[in-house]
Amino acid sequence: MNKDEMHTLIAKRVAYELEDQSLVNLGIGLPTKAASYIPRDIKVTFQSENGFVGLRGLKDDETNDGTIVNAGGQPVGIEKGGAFFDSATSFGIIRGGYVDCTILGALQVDKNGNIANYMIPGKMVPGMGGAMDLLEGAKKVIVAMQHTAKGNPKILNECNLPLTASQAVDLIVTEMGVIEVSD
Amino acid sequence: MNKITTIKEVIKHIKNEDTIMIGGFMGNGAPPTLIDAVIEKGIKDITLISSDTATIDYKTGKLIRDKRVKKLYASHIGLNKETGRQMTDGELDVELVPQGTLVERIRAAGFGLGGILTTTGVGTRVEQDKQKLTVEGVEYLLETPLHADVALINAKRADKSGNLQYQGSMVNFNAMMAAAAKTTIVEVDEIVENGEMDPNLVVTPGVFVDHIVKRGENDE
């Protein structure tokens, strides 16, 4: 499998974990792909942490006027019945426990459900964005990632990168399998 | 008080070493004309409070590119490589703040609160040097208010009282920043007479807004 095939496999598999009538937040990158593979018999609503519920992709004939973007700054649309709000309300929804599930990428996850996904000291410091709040507030946290990075394991006994949150991850989905984090 | 003004007049309220909040998320809902005016006037040594630094030649990214910022509070800088380079090379002091905590610290400043309590960041580097408080058995971080000299925000429509309405996902940080700065300047597409905006549909009340400029009309 090449990288694209792996990502598609992971996205398809992780989409099966979503529950009918749930509010879901997808991280940038691989997790966003899951939106294309939601089973037809369930209805999921997406929350975008920059300030709305009802996120959807642009339709083919839809013009992009730049007024609605997703958490990666890419143009998107909003479903009928959706709503815009400010960032304080958005993170109130997140920390307040109204997001049923979040799917995030990760650099490392360990056996205690600790997750590192916002910096590699001295190398890469993109920042945590909304990830720390999502990990604290979402009812269920799913990590969707490749099993290894250039041959190095990403699922460890103990993370050695700075943590984004401790004991937060419920499920890990990779191209190798699905792992439940338990006590 | 007449709040409607021009870029030329309004830029006089911004000076070197100011702490400036700029609304927007990856540039969506950031005020383009006000940012360009800051660049043009040569304002430097800014402490910038913003969700992110967009991309290198876009919106707040321009202020980083032109080295106008000495200290940055943001939640995400990964899409602007120049911000990361300046941080790594010690040219720019960056405090990364979880996005939900960032907006709450801004809200606290605007709404007269001494801080907020959040579980976000507990058990991570974010908790370093912060006071912890236990409430009803749960451990929280005390996050302090973030004040600013000036907030530069963006909206779709203002009435002459400064009441604001937004478009799409462009409200984001703008609403809370409007309240948190000593001086709030808003850039809009449209200004309407008082009475033309339905008071039921105002998102940001005009009491927070000091100056209004209309995009495209006040450039000279």
Side-chain angles (χ1 to χ4, degrees), chain B residues 96-173:
Chain B
L96 290 169
V97 184
Q99 201 167 119
T101 299
L102 183 61
V103 72
E104 283 299 313
R105 292 179 70 182
I106 294 165
R107 189 180 68 89
F111 292 0
L113 302 173
I116 61 107
L117 300 179
T118 179
T119 58
T120 301
V122 171
T124 76
R125 286 189 175 193
V126 169
E127 73 173 30
Q128 282 171 11
D129 304 325
K130 282 180 188 154
Q131 197 178 335
K132 284 186 181 173
L133 289 158
T134 303
V135 182
E136 293 171 1
V138 179
E139 193 175 58
Y140 294 91
L141 301 183
L142 171 64
E143 294 280 4
T144 53
L146 277 175
H147 297 272
D149 298 302
V150 186
L152 305 181
I153 67 167
N154 183 81
K156 173 73 179 169
R157 186 180 297 112
D159 70 11
K160 288 189 168 171
S161 296
N163 295 309
L164 304 180
Q165 293 176 325
Y166 300 86
Q167 179 82 29
S169 55
M170 295 162 84
V171 50
N172 55 58
F173 276 76

Side-chain angles (χ1 to χ4, degrees), chain A:
Chain A
M1 268 189 291
N2 64 32
K3 189 180 163 189
D4 269 357
E5 289 166 338
M6 268 187 236
H7 282 194
T8 301
L9 179 67
I10 296 164
K12 280 182 176 170
R13 181 59 187 83
V14 80
Y16 268 94
E17 294 297 329
L18 298 176
E19 289 180 17
D20 193 26
Q21 307 300 324
S22 60
L23 183 62
V24 176
N25 184 297
L26 300 179
I28 303 170
L30 168 56
T32 304
K33 272 186 134 183
S36 308
Y37 303 108
I38 308 296
R40 278 166 200 227
D41 55 342
I42 71 166
K43 168 72 181 147
V44 170
T45 302
F46 292 108
Q47 197 251 5
S48 194
E49 67 253 33
N50 53 318
F52 57 114
V53 290
L55 179 148
R56 62 163 174 78
L58 286 178
K59 294 167 185 162
D60 290 341
D61 61 348
E62 208 169 358
T63 48
N64 160 28
D65 64 1
T67 59
I68 312 174
V69 302
N70 65 13
Q74 302 302 312
V76 292
I78 187 165
E79 307 255 22
K80 285 177 185 165
F84 294 113
F85 32 78
D86 71 89
S87 298
T89 305
S90 187
F91 282 89
I93 287 168
I94 290 168
R95 282 189 317 266
Y98 295 92
V99 172
D100 296 298
C101 178
T102 187
I103 303 175
L104 298 169
L107 296 162
Q108 296 177 337
V109 186
D110 71 24
K111 66 178 179 188
N112 293 314
N114 297 326
I115 173 170
N117 74 351
Y118 85 104
M119 71 181 298
I120 303 173
K123 268 192 182 169
M124 183 197 74
V125 189
M128 66 292 277
M132 283 191 180
D133 303 283
L134 280 160
L135 288 161
E136 278 297 307
K139 285 186 199 148
K140 184 174 185 181
V141 174
I142 304 176
V143 167
M145 64 177 190
Q146 283 180 239
H147 206 84
T148 57
K150 292 169 188 161
N152 298 313
K154 297 175 73 174
I155 303 169
L156 307 167
N157 280 323
E158 198 175 338
C159 294
N160 53 38
L161 291 172
L163 296 184
T164 316
S166 60
Q167 299 182 357
V169 178
D170 298 298
L171 197 75
I172 306 165
V173 178
T174 77
E175 78 281 11
M176 306 282 283
V178 179
I179 301 165
E180 204 177 296
V181 181
S182 57
D183 293 332

